[in-house]
Amino acid sequence: MRWWLLVAGVGLALLVAAWVMARDSAEPLETYRTGGLSFEHPASWHVLSPEARSARSEVFAYASTDRLEDPCRLTFDTVSCDWPLAQLSRSGALVTVSRSADTFGELRGVRTTIGGRRARVQIRRPGVCSAVGGDYTVLTQIESDRTNDYLVISCLRDSNDSGERDARRLVSSIHFDREA
């Protein structure tokens, strides 16, 4: 009977220690607001809202562990956008928050709620993120009151547990101030 108390005590001590270490090592967060929505991201991440917007795609923001460059170019009356970085670093993560006329169709993924709206999450290996060296792509489709749903694309590397955790935290923190 006493050994159970010892095991329970040690288990509780380890749980508290893990929580304290995780809390102390957690990086401060910043809130980014754009186009009627907001999200939280680690303070060390780079965030960029493209200045030009395409008629087919409205990117609200890119957030990444790596430095970003505005990928959208305006030539005459046409906007063309590419990726905001050429290659993810070994421990890189990139999250794109957008609304797009191009659609993946309704994702067949895990159902959840983000920002009070219905959402689906699906993982693809490597998915569209292979274009920037991502090992896998996490697609999150969030229901909109308008025709086009919000689409969040998270590009991640297999070797980056902290980037995955931070990307999940960013996506789950999305809040809609008004219909963007």
Side-chain angles (χ1 to χ4, degrees), residues 20-174:
V20 168
M21 286 191 308
R23 189 190 70 197
D24 289 345
S25 66
E27 183 175 345
L29 298 177
E30 292 182 358
T31 300
Y32 189 81
R33 290 177 179 21
T34 182
L37 61 84
S38 61
F39 57 83
E40 293 179 338
H41 63 88
S44 65
W45 280 38
H46 305 274
V47 180
L48 171 75
S49 281
E51 293 199 22
R53 304 247 168 132
S54 164
R56 296 197 49 79
S57 175
E58 184 177 10
V59 174
F60 293 103
Y62 299 101
S64 180
T65 54
D66 297 321
R67 292 205 181 277
L68 301 171
E69 292 185 19
D70 192 336
C72 298
R73 303 290 177 253
L74 177 61
T75 52
F76 301 106
D77 62 346
T78 304
V79 175
S80 60
C81 299
D82 200 1
W83 292 91
L85 49 77
Q87 185 79 19
L88 280 173
S89 65
R90 181 173 164 83
S91 60
L94 169 68
V95 178
T96 303
V97 180
S98 67
R99 184 177 3 224
S100 178
D102 295 325
T103 180
F104 285 91
E106 188 167 325
L107 290 178
R108 300 185 198 288
V110 176
R111 294 178 189 203
T112 188
T113 302
I114 297 173
R117 297 174 185 217
R118 293 186 307 176
R120 289 184 185 259
V121 179
Q122 183 183 83
I123 297 174
R124 296 183 180 175
R125 286 191 168 269
V128 297
C129 293
S130 64
V132 292
D135 296 314
Y136 63 104
T137 303
V138 180
L139 299 172
T140 306
Q141 184 179 29
I142 306 170
E143 186 177 64
S144 171
D145 294 338
R146 295 184 180 178
T147 307
N148 303 322
D149 288 340
Y150 294 93
L151 181 63
V152 182
I153 302 172
S154 301
C155 298
L156 301 160
R157 302 293 301 263
D158 281 332
S159 60
N160 189 4
D161 292 336
S162 65
E164 180 180 352
R165 181 190 65 240
D166 290 340
R168 284 179 192 236
R169 184 171 34 191
L170 184 156
V171 173
S172 66
S173 76
I174 292 175

